[in-house]
Amino acid sequence: MMLNKFQEQDLMGSVEQLEVIKSISDNKKVNDHIDNVIILLKHINPTLFNYPKVAKYTSGKYESTLDWDREE
């Protein structure tokens, strides 16, 4: 199954949100369940998660590394 770029972004964003929730939770049982969900989500498209993290998904969009205000 191929995902389009928007589905890939949603998948990556969902995994990141779960990781944030896990990082603020002190409940080991809940964190173990979150880990299981993360593993299942990553199995949807494992190649998305094999690359070094170069962008952070926040607020429904990636932060741009481009400077659109600077003119050449």
Side-chain angles (χ1 to χ4, degrees):
M1 176 173 118
M2 294 287 294
L3 300 175
N4 66 38
K5 66 181 178 178
F6 300 108
Q7 292 168 323
E8 288 177 353
Q9 288 177 352
D10 287 342
L11 180 60
M12 291 174 67
S14 297
V15 169
E16 185 169 297
Q17 289 173 7
L18 286 170
E19 289 173 343
V20 168
I21 292 168
K22 191 179 104 172
S23 73
I24 60 175
S25 171
D26 292 333
N27 187 323
K28 180 172 175 18
K29 193 170 189 177
V30 169
N31 286 344
D32 289 344
H33 286 292
I34 291 173
D35 281 336
N36 290 336
V37 173
I38 289 172
I39 289 168
L40 291 172
L41 288 173
K42 285 183 174 183
H43 280 15
I44 293 172
N45 190 346
T47 58
L48 278 178
F49 302 97
N50 288 337
Y51 300 101
K53 196 174 197 179
V54 294
K56 186 170 182 173
Y57 187 89
T58 56
S59 308
K61 66 179 180 177
Y62 285 96
E63 293 177 15
S64 176
T65 57
L66 300 175
D67 184 1
W68 292 104
D69 296 329
R70 186 175 10 175
E71 295 183 33
E72 309 222 2

Coordinates of all heavy atoms in Angstrom, one line a residue:
M1 N 0.9 -1.2 0.0 CA 0.0 0.0 0.0 C 0.9 1.2 0.0 O 1.8 1.4 0.8 CB -0.9 0.0 1.3 CG -1.7 1.2 1.4 SD -2.9 1.0 2.8 CE -2.3 2.3 3.8
M2 N 0.7 2.1 -0.9 CA 1.4 3.4 -1.0 C 0.6 4.5 -0.4 O -0.6 4.6 -0.6 CB 1.7 3.7 -2.5 CG 2.6 2.8 -3.2 SD 4.3 3.0 -2.7 CE 4.6 4.6 -3.3
L3 N 1.3 5.3 0.4 CA 0.7 6.4 1.0 C 1.0 7.7 0.2 O 2.1 7.8 -0.3 CB 1.2 6.6 2.4 CG 0.9 5.5 3.4 CD1 1.6 5.8 4.7 CD2 -0.6 5.2 3.6
N4 N 0.1 8.6 0.1 CA 0.5 9.9 -0.5 C 1.2 10.7 0.5 O 1.3 10.4 1.7 CB -0.8 10.6 -1.2 CG -1.8 11.1 -0.1 OD1 -1.4 11.5 1.0 ND2 -3.0 10.9 -0.4
K5 N 1.7 11.9 0.0 CA 2.6 12.7 1.0 C 1.8 13.2 2.2 O 2.4 13.3 3.2 CB 3.3 13.8 0.2 CG 2.3 14.8 -0.3 CD 3.1 15.9 -1.1 CE 2.2 16.9 -1.7 NZ 2.9 18.0 -2.4
F6 N 0.5 13.4 2.0 CA -0.3 13.9 3.1 C -0.5 12.8 4.1 O -0.5 13.1 5.3 CB -1.6 14.5 2.6 CG -1.4 15.7 1.7 CD1 -1.7 15.5 0.3 CD2 -0.9 16.9 2.1 CE1 -1.5 16.6 -0.6 CE2 -0.7 17.9 1.2 CZ -1.0 17.8 -0.1
Q7 N -0.8 11.6 3.7 CA -0.9 10.5 4.6 C 0.4 10.2 5.3 O 0.4 9.9 6.5 CB -1.4 9.2 3.8 CG -2.8 9.4 3.2 CD -3.1 8.3 2.2 OE1 -2.3 7.9 1.4 NE2 -4.4 7.8 2.3
E8 N 1.5 10.3 4.6 CA 2.8 10.1 5.2 C 3.0 11.2 6.3 O 3.5 10.8 7.4 CB 3.9 10.2 4.2 CG 4.0 9.0 3.3 CD 5.1 9.1 2.2 OE1 5.7 10.2 2.1 OE2 5.3 8.1 1.5
Q9 N 2.7 12.4 6.1 CA 2.8 13.5 7.1 C 1.9 13.2 8.3 O 2.3 13.4 9.4 CB 2.5 14.8 6.5 CG 3.5 15.3 5.5 CD 3.1 16.7 4.9 OE1 2.0 17.1 5.0 NE2 4.1 17.2 4.1
D10 N 0.7 12.7 8.0 CA -0.2 12.4 9.1 C 0.3 11.3 10.0 O 0.2 11.3 11.2 CB -1.6 12.0 8.6 CG -2.4 13.2 8.0 OD1 -2.1 14.4 8.4 OD2 -3.4 13.0 7.3
L11 N 0.9 10.3 9.3 CA 1.4 9.1 10.0 C 2.6 9.6 10.9 O 2.7 9.2 12.0 CB 1.9 8.1 9.0 CG 2.5 6.8 9.6 CD1 1.5 6.1 10.5 CD2 2.9 5.9 8.4
M12 N 3.5 10.3 10.3 CA 4.7 10.8 11.0 C 4.2 11.7 12.2 O 4.8 11.6 13.3 CB 5.6 11.6 10.1 CG 6.3 10.6 9.1 SD 7.3 11.5 7.9 CE 8.6 12.2 8.9
G13 N 3.3 12.6 11.9 CA 2.8 13.5 13.0 C 2.1 12.7 14.1 O 2.3 13.0 15.3
S14 N 1.4 11.7 13.8 CA 0.7 10.8 14.8 C 1.8 10.1 15.7 O 1.6 10.1 16.9 CB -0.2 9.8 14.2 OG -1.2 10.4 13.4
V15 N 2.8 9.6 15.1 CA 3.9 8.9 15.9 C 4.5 10.0 16.8 O 4.8 9.7 17.9 CB 4.9 8.2 14.9 CG1 6.1 7.8 15.7 CG2 4.2 7.0 14.3
E16 N 4.8 11.1 16.2 CA 5.5 12.1 17.0 C 4.6 12.6 18.2 O 5.1 12.8 19.3 CB 5.9 13.3 16.2 CG 6.7 14.3 17.0 CD 7.4 15.4 16.1 OE1 8.2 15.0 15.2 OE2 7.0 16.6 16.3
Q17 N 3.3 12.8 18.0 CA 2.4 13.2 19.1 C 2.4 12.1 20.2 O 2.4 12.4 21.3 CB 1.0 13.4 18.5 CG 1.0 14.7 17.7 CD -0.4 14.9 17.0 OE1 -1.3 14.1 17.2 NE2 -0.5 15.9 16.1
L18 N 2.4 10.8 19.8 CA 2.4 9.8 20.8 C 3.7 9.8 21.5 O 3.7 9.5 22.8 CB 2.2 8.4 20.1 CG 0.8 8.1 19.6 CD1 0.7 6.9 18.7 CD2 -0.2 8.0 20.8
E19 N 4.8 10.0 20.9 CA 6.1 10.1 21.6 C 6.1 11.2 22.6 O 6.7 11.1 23.7 CB 7.2 10.2 20.6 CG 7.4 8.9 19.8 CD 8.5 9.0 18.7 OE1 8.8 10.1 18.3 OE2 8.9 8.0 18.2
V20 N 5.5 12.4 22.2 CA 5.4 13.5 23.2 C 4.6 13.1 24.4 O 4.9 13.4 25.5 CB 4.8 14.8 22.5 CG1 4.5 15.8 23.5 CG2 5.8 15.3 21.4
I21 N 3.4 12.5 24.1 CA 2.5 12.1 25.2 C 3.3 11.1 26.1 O 3.2 11.2 27.4 CB 1.3 11.5 24.7 CG1 0.4 12.5 24.0 CG2 0.5 10.8 25.8 CD1 -0.8 12.0 23.2
K22 N 4.0 10.2 25.5 CA 4.8 9.2 26.3 C 5.8 9.9 27.2 O 6.1 9.5 28.3 CB 5.4 8.2 25.4 CG 6.0 7.0 26.1 CD 6.6 6.0 25.1 CE 8.1 6.2 25.1 NZ 8.9 5.3 24.4
S23 N 6.5 10.9 26.6 CA 7.5 11.6 27.4 C 7.0 12.3 28.6 O 7.8 12.6 29.5 CB 8.3 12.5 26.4 OG 7.5 13.7 26.1
I24 N 5.8 12.7 28.6 CA 5.2 13.4 29.8 C 4.4 12.6 30.7 O 4.0 13.0 31.7 CB 4.4 14.7 29.3 CG1 3.2 14.2 28.5 CG2 5.3 15.7 28.6 CD1 2.3 15.4 28.1
S25 N 4.3 11.3 30.3 CA 3.5 10.4 31.2 C 4.5 9.6 32.1 O 5.5 9.2 31.7 CB 2.8 9.4 30.3 OG 2.2 8.3 31.1
D26 N 4.1 9.4 33.4 CA 4.8 8.7 34.3 C 4.3 7.3 34.5 O 4.8 6.5 35.3 CB 4.8 9.4 35.7 CG 5.6 10.7 35.7 OD1 6.5 10.8 34.8 OD2 5.3 11.6 36.5
N27 N 3.2 6.9 33.8 CA 2.6 5.7 33.9 C 3.2 4.6 33.0 O 3.0 4.7 31.8 CB 1.1 5.8 33.6 CG 0.3 4.6 33.9 OD1 0.7 3.5 33.7 ND2 -0.9 4.8 34.4
K28 N 4.0 3.7 33.6 CA 4.7 2.7 32.8 C 3.7 1.8 31.9 O 4.0 1.5 30.8 CB 5.5 1.8 33.6 CG 6.3 0.7 32.8 CD 7.3 0.0 33.6 CE 8.0 -1.1 32.9 NZ 7.9 -1.1 31.5
K29 N 2.6 1.5 32.5 CA 1.6 0.6 31.8 C 1.1 1.4 30.5 O 1.0 0.8 29.4 CB 0.5 0.2 32.7 CG -0.4 -0.9 32.2 CD -1.3 -1.4 33.2 CE -2.0 -2.6 32.8 NZ -2.9 -3.2 33.8
V30 N 0.8 2.6 30.7 CA 0.3 3.5 29.6 C 1.4 3.6 28.6 O 1.2 3.5 27.3 CB -0.2 4.8 30.1 CG1 -0.5 5.8 29.0 CG2 -1.5 4.7 31.0
N31 N 2.6 3.9 29.0 CA 3.7 4.1 28.1 C 4.0 2.8 27.3 O 4.4 2.9 26.1 CB 5.0 4.5 28.8 CG 4.9 6.0 29.3 OD1 4.0 6.7 28.8 ND2 5.7 6.4 30.2
D32 N 3.9 1.6 27.9 CA 4.0 0.4 27.2 C 3.0 0.2 26.1 O 3.3 -0.2 25.0 CB 3.9 -0.8 28.2 CG 5.2 -0.9 29.1 OD1 6.2 -0.3 28.8 OD2 5.1 -1.7 30.1
H33 N 1.8 0.6 26.4 CA 0.7 0.6 25.4 C 1.0 1.6 24.2 O 0.8 1.3 23.1 CB -0.7 0.9 26.0 CG -1.2 -0.3 26.8 ND1 -1.6 -1.5 26.2 CD2 -1.4 -0.4 28.1 CE1 -2.0 -2.3 27.2 NE2 -1.9 -1.7 28.3
I34 N 1.5 2.8 24.6 CA 1.8 3.8 23.6 C 2.9 3.2 22.7 O 2.9 3.4 21.5 CB 2.2 5.1 24.2 CG1 1.0 5.8 24.9 CG2 2.8 6.0 23.2 CD1 1.3 7.0 25.7
D35 N 3.9 2.6 23.3 CA 5.0 2.0 22.5 C 4.5 1.0 21.5 O 4.9 0.9 20.3 CB 6.0 1.3 23.4 CG 7.0 2.3 24.0 OD1 7.2 3.4 23.5 OD2 7.6 1.9 25.1
N36 N 3.5 0.1 21.9 CA 2.9 -0.8 21.0 C 2.2 -0.2 19.9 O 2.3 -0.6 18.7 CB 2.0 -1.8 21.8 CG 2.7 -2.7 22.7 OD1 3.9 -3.0 22.5 ND2 2.0 -3.2 23.7
V37 N 1.5 0.9 20.1 CA 0.8 1.6 19.1 C 1.8 2.3 18.1 O 1.6 2.2 16.9 CB -0.2 2.7 19.7 CG1 -0.7 3.6 18.6 CG2 -1.3 2.0 20.5
I38 N 2.9 2.8 18.7 CA 3.9 3.4 17.8 C 4.5 2.4 16.9 O 4.7 2.6 15.7 CB 5.0 4.1 18.7 CG1 4.4 5.4 19.3 CG2 6.2 4.4 17.9 CD1 5.4 6.0 20.4
I39 N 4.8 1.2 17.4 CA 5.3 0.1 16.6 C 4.4 -0.2 15.5 O 4.8 -0.4 14.3 CB 5.7 -1.1 17.5 CG1 6.9 -0.8 18.4 CG2 5.9 -2.3 16.6 CD1 7.1 -1.8 19.5
L40 N 3.1 -0.4 15.8 CA 2.1 -0.7 14.8 C 2.0 0.4 13.7 O 1.9 0.1 12.5 CB 0.7 -0.9 15.4 CG 0.6 -2.1 16.3 CD1 -0.8 -2.1 17.0 CD2 0.7 -3.4 15.4
L41 N 2.0 1.6 14.1 CA 2.0 2.7 13.1 C 3.2 2.8 12.3 O 3.1 3.0 11.0 CB 1.8 4.1 13.9 CG 0.5 4.4 14.5 CD1 0.5 5.6 15.3 CD2 -0.6 4.4 13.4
K42 N 4.4 2.5 12.8 CA 5.6 2.5 12.1 C 5.7 1.4 11.0 O 6.3 1.5 10.0 CB 6.8 2.5 13.0 CG 7.1 3.8 13.7 CD 8.4 3.7 14.5 CE 8.7 5.1 15.1 NZ 10.0 5.1 15.8
H43 N 5.0 0.3 11.3 CA 4.9 -0.8 10.4 C 4.1 -0.5 9.2 O 4.1 -1.2 8.2 CB 4.4 -2.1 11.1 CG 5.5 -2.8 11.9 ND1 6.7 -2.2 12.3 CD2 5.5 -4.0 12.4 CE1 7.4 -3.1 13.0 NE2 6.7 -4.2 13.1
I44 N 3.3 0.5 9.2 CA 2.5 0.9 8.0 C 3.4 1.3 6.9 O 3.1 0.9 5.7 CB 1.5 2.0 8.4 CG1 0.4 1.5 9.4 CG2 0.8 2.6 7.1 CD1 -0.5 2.6 9.9
N45 N 4.4 2.0 7.2 CA 5.4 2.4 6.2 C 6.8 2.6 6.9 O 7.2 3.7 7.2 CB 5.0 3.7 5.5 CG 5.8 4.1 4.3 OD1 6.9 3.5 4.1 ND2 5.4 5.0 3.5
P46 N 7.5 1.4 7.1 CA 8.7 1.5 7.8 C 9.8 2.4 7.2 O 10.6 2.9 8.0 CB 9.2 0.0 7.8 CG 8.0 -0.8 7.5 CD 7.1 0.1 6.7
T47 N 9.8 2.6 5.9 CA 10.9 3.4 5.3 C 10.8 4.8 5.7 O 11.8 5.5 5.7 CB 10.8 3.3 3.8 OG1 9.5 3.7 3.3 CG2 11.1 1.9 3.3
L48 N 9.6 5.3 6.1 CA 9.5 6.7 6.6 C 10.3 6.9 7.9 O 10.7 8.1 8.1 CB 8.0 7.0 7.0 CG 7.1 7.4 5.8 CD1 5.7 7.6 6.4 CD2 7.6 8.6 5.1
F49 N 10.5 5.9 8.7 CA 11.2 6.1 10.0 C 12.6 5.6 10.0 O 13.2 5.5 11.0 CB 10.3 5.4 11.0 CG 8.9 5.9 11.1 CD1 7.9 5.2 10.4 CD2 8.6 7.1 11.7 CE1 6.6 5.7 10.4 CE2 7.3 7.6 11.7 CZ 6.3 6.9 11.1
N50 N 13.1 5.3 8.8 CA 14.5 4.8 8.7 C 15.5 5.9 8.5 O 16.7 5.6 8.5 CB 14.7 3.7 7.6 CG 14.0 2.4 8.0 OD1 13.8 2.1 9.1 ND2 13.6 1.7 7.0
Y51 N 15.1 7.1 8.3 CA 16.0 8.2 8.0 C 16.2 9.1 9.2 O 15.3 9.1 10.0 CB 15.4 9.0 6.8 CG 15.2 8.2 5.6 CD1 14.0 7.8 5.2 CD2 16.3 7.9 4.8 CE1 13.8 7.0 4.0 CE2 16.2 7.2 3.6 CZ 14.9 6.7 3.3 OH 14.8 6.0 2.1
P52 N 17.3 9.7 9.3 CA 17.5 10.6 10.4 C 16.5 11.7 10.4 O 16.0 12.2 9.4 CB 18.9 11.3 10.1 CG 19.5 10.5 9.0 CD 18.4 9.7 8.3
K53 N 16.1 12.1 11.6 CA 15.1 13.2 11.7 C 15.7 14.5 11.3 O 16.6 15.0 11.9 CB 14.7 13.2 13.2 CG 13.4 14.0 13.4 CD 13.0 13.8 14.9 CE 11.6 14.2 15.1 NZ 11.2 14.0 16.4
V54 N 15.1 15.1 10.2 CA 15.6 16.4 9.7 C 14.6 17.5 9.9 O 14.9 18.6 9.7 CB 16.0 16.3 8.2 CG1 17.3 15.4 8.1 CG2 14.9 15.7 7.4
A55 N 13.3 17.1 10.1 CA 12.3 18.1 10.3 C 11.4 17.6 11.4 O 11.2 16.4 11.7 CB 11.4 18.2 9.0
K56 N 10.8 18.6 12.1 CA 9.9 18.3 13.2 C 8.5 18.6 12.8 O 8.2 19.7 12.3 CB 10.3 19.0 14.4 CG 9.5 18.6 15.6 CD 10.1 19.2 16.9 CE 9.3 18.7 18.1 NZ 9.9 19.0 19.3
Y57 N 7.6 17.7 13.0 CA 6.2 17.9 12.7 C 5.5 18.5 13.9 O 5.5 17.9 14.9 CB 5.6 16.5 12.3 CG 4.1 16.6 11.8 CD1 3.9 16.8 10.5 CD2 3.1 16.5 12.7 CE1 2.6 16.8 10.0 CE2 1.8 16.6 12.2 CZ 1.6 16.7 10.9 OH 0.3 16.8 10.4
T58 N 5.0 19.7 13.7 CA 4.3 20.4 14.8 C 3.2 21.2 14.3 O 3.2 21.7 13.2 CB 5.3 21.4 15.6 OG1 5.8 22.3 14.6 CG2 6.4 20.7 16.3
S59 N 2.1 21.2 15.0 CA 0.9 22.0 14.6 C 0.4 21.7 13.3 O -0.1 22.6 12.6 CB 1.2 23.5 14.7 OG 1.8 23.8 16.0
G60 N 0.5 20.5 12.8 CA 0.0 20.1 11.5 C 0.8 20.5 10.3 O 0.3 20.4 9.2
K61 N 2.0 21.0 10.5 CA 2.9 21.3 9.4 C 4.3 21.2 9.8 O 4.7 21.3 11.0 CB 2.6 22.7 8.8 CG 2.9 23.8 9.8 CD 2.6 25.2 9.2 CE 3.0 26.3 10.2 NZ 2.8 27.6 9.7
Y62 N 5.2 21.1 8.8 CA 6.6 21.1 9.1 C 7.1 22.5 9.1 O 6.7 23.3 8.3 CB 7.4 20.2 8.0 CG 7.2 18.8 8.2 CD1 6.2 18.1 7.5 CD2 8.0 18.1 9.1 CE1 6.1 16.7 7.7 CE2 7.8 16.7 9.3 CZ 6.9 16.1 8.6 OH 6.7 14.7 8.8
E63 N 8.1 22.7 10.0 CA 8.7 24.0 10.0 C 9.7 24.1 8.8 O 10.5 23.3 8.6 CB 9.5 24.2 11.3 CG 8.6 24.3 12.5 CD 9.4 24.4 13.8 OE1 10.6 24.7 13.7 OE2 8.8 24.2 14.8
S64 N 9.5 25.2 8.0 CA 10.3 25.4 6.8 C 11.8 25.8 7.2 O 12.0 26.5 8.1 CB 9.7 26.4 5.9 OG 10.5 26.7 4.8
T65 N 12.7 25.3 6.4 CA 14.1 25.7 6.6 C 14.4 26.8 5.5 O 15.6 27.2 5.5 CB 15.0 24.5 6.4 OG1 14.8 23.9 5.1 CG2 14.8 23.5 7.5
L66 N 13.5 27.1 4.7 CA 13.7 28.1 3.7 C 13.4 29.5 4.2 O 12.5 29.7 5.0 CB 12.8 27.9 2.5 CG 13.0 26.5 1.8 CD1 11.9 26.4 0.7 CD2 14.4 26.4 1.2
D67 N 14.2 30.5 3.8 CA 13.9 31.9 4.1 C 13.2 32.6 3.0 O 13.9 33.0 2.0 CB 15.3 32.6 4.4 CG 15.1 34.0 5.0 OD1 14.0 34.4 5.1 OD2 16.1 34.6 5.2
W68 N 11.9 32.7 3.1 CA 11.1 33.2 2.0 C 11.2 34.7 1.9 O 10.9 35.4 0.9 CB 9.6 32.8 2.1 CG 9.5 31.4 1.9 CD1 9.2 30.4 2.8 CD2 9.5 30.7 0.6 NE1 9.1 29.2 2.3 CE2 9.3 29.3 0.9 CE3 9.7 31.0 -0.7 CZ2 9.2 28.3 -0.1 CZ3 9.6 30.1 -1.7 CH2 9.4 28.7 -1.4
D69 N 11.6 35.4 3.0 CA 11.7 36.9 3.0 C 12.9 37.4 2.3 O 13.0 38.5 1.9 CB 11.6 37.4 4.4 CG 10.3 37.0 5.1 OD1 9.3 37.0 4.3 OD2 10.3 36.8 6.3
R70 N 14.0 36.6 2.2 CA 15.2 37.1 1.7 C 15.2 37.1 0.2 O 14.8 36.1 -0.4 CB 16.4 36.2 2.2 CG 17.7 36.8 1.7 CD 18.9 36.1 2.2 NE 18.6 34.8 2.9 CZ 19.6 34.0 3.3 NH1 20.8 34.3 3.2 NH2 19.3 32.8 3.9
E71 N 15.5 38.2 -0.5 CA 15.6 38.2 -1.9 C 17.0 38.1 -2.4 O 17.9 38.6 -1.7 CB 15.0 39.6 -2.4 CG 13.5 39.7 -2.0 CD 12.9 41.0 -2.6 OE1 13.4 41.4 -3.6 OE2 12.0 41.5 -1.9
E72 N 17.2 37.5 -3.5 CA 18.5 37.3 -4.1 C 18.8 38.3 -5.1 O 18.0 38.8 -5.8 CB 18.6 35.9 -4.6 CG 18.2 34.9 -3.6 CD 19.1 33.7 -3.5 OE1 20.1 33.6 -4.2 OE2 18.8 32.8 -2.7

